[in-house]
Amino acid sequence: MSTIFGNLCCMFRRCLFSVLSIGPIPDHIAFIMDGNRRYAKRTQISTGHRVGFSALISVLRYCYEIGVKYVTIYAFSIDNFKRKPEEVQSTMDLMKEKIDELLEEHSIVNKYGIRMNFWGNLNLLNDAVRLSVEKAMRNTSNNTGPVLSVCVAYTSTNEIAHAIEKSCCQKTEMMKRMHANGFENGVVEKNTQTMVTVVDLEMHLFSNDCPDPDIIIRTSGETRLSNFLLWQSSFSHLQNPTPLWPEFSLRHLVWAILSYQRAYPYLQNRSKKML
Ligand SMILES: *[C@@H]1O[C@H](CO)[C@@H](O)[C@H](O)[C@H]1NC(C)=O
Ligand SMILES: *[C@@H]1O[C@H](CO)[C@@H](O)[C@H](O)[C@H]1NC(C)=O
Ligand SMILES: CC(=O)N[C@H]1CO[C@H](CO)[C@@H](O)[C@@H]1O
């Protein structure tokens, strides 16, 4: 009985997605998974993050079925380290458990051949989580399916500062080389850009091999970006559906994509004008 129902749901989803795909399908959707703690309080369960993780797996499946190639999630902000130590610890433990689960044979990662990235200051993670994170990136680095980028110990301002630092180091190295080779002989390479440019910075952002998000969805009705992808979101279609993250479901995702499709001609015009 349950498999019949499951098959019906699956068929229904396929029909729905084929209707959606008449319009433009976003390449990249980013999620701020807000509301896990409020959900836990409201439903009196001990951990909202665990339910939040199942919601994430469903959302990932829908996204990949629709044909979205990049999904980015805000899992843990640098500011979240200021929460109670027990809470930080239990979130970290859960994160490690779930990352390890994602690497198992039957997981969604293997099913879709997902390549996993982790964006953030990974040095802030404890050793156990960092090792899992590194293993996940290494183990999925040859996968050619969709890309899942998980922001942990992340803030956008930290990402930008990190990119500036990298760019400056690179320029300094370049200047040193120029002094060593060229200057004495009066030879300076033509077109050498010694100042840090936007292109340099973008090359050193964590998102360097990823298009900017077409849609950013923040659940629980909040309207702030909270230091998430500030550089990458200039032309993103922002959505703030009211359900808490564990309640975010297929229809909310479909609604967000329809809304993006309605705004698409305008978004296209805007981003073209700015280039
Ligand atoms: C990925 O490919 C490289 C080069 O072909 C190889 O050395 C490495 O072992 C592969 N990694 C995994 C996890 O399969
Ligand atoms: C897009 O730009 C063109 C030319 O600038 C304009 O005619 C058209 O109305 C614009 N479309 C939208 C949806 O803004
Ligand atoms: C620990 C782990 O997930 N190892 C996997 C890494 O990837 C190879 C194949 O790419 C699997 O065989 C391992 O099980």
Side-chain angles (χ1 to χ4, degrees), residues 135 137-143:
K135 189 165 88 183
M137 288 199 278
R138 209 171 36 226
N139 210 290
T140 63
S141 61
N142 293 342
N143 286 356

Side-chain angles (χ1 to χ4, degrees), residues 262-270 272-273:
R262 267 200 313 275
Y264 185 78
Y266 175 75
L267 291 170
Q268 282 298 89
N269 258 12
R270 290 294 300 163
K272 266 199 215 102
K273 259 188 215 128

Side-chain angles (χ1 to χ4, degrees), residues 113-126:
I114 296 172
R115 181 157 61 84
M116 287 180 79
N117 284 327
F118 289 83
W119 298 352
N121 183 354
L122 304 183
N123 292 325
L124 296 177
L125 300 171
N126 66 34

Side-chain angles (χ1 to χ4, degrees), residues 197-266:
T197 64
V198 168
V199 174
D200 294 318
L201 283 189
E202 290 191 330
M203 211 160 63
H204 291 108
L205 291 173
F206 300 127
S207 59
N208 64 5
D209 59 351
C210 185
D212 287 348
D214 300 297
I215 310 179
I216 297 182
I217 297 177
R218 178 168 190 160
T219 51
S220 80
E222 298 290 347
T223 51
R224 290 162 286 123
L225 280 177
S226 298
N227 217 336
F228 180 57
L229 305 183
L230 302 181
W231 184 287
Q232 297 88 344
S233 58
S234 312
F235 298 105
S236 304
H237 186 58
L238 306 182
Q239 293 271 298
N240 58 332
T242 48
L244 304 176
W245 174 255
E247 301 165 328
F248 185 81
S249 64
L250 178 62
R251 70 193 163 94
H252 304 115
L253 181 67
V254 168
W255 184 254
I257 293 177
L258 285 173
S259 158
Y260 162 79
Q261 293 183 336
R262 267 200 313 275
Y264 185 78
Y266 175 75

Side-chain angles (χ1 to χ4, degrees), residues 178 187-193:
M178 270 169 51
V187 186
V188 178
E189 290 167 58
K190 266 195 194 147
N191 299 326
T192 311
Q193 179 57 265

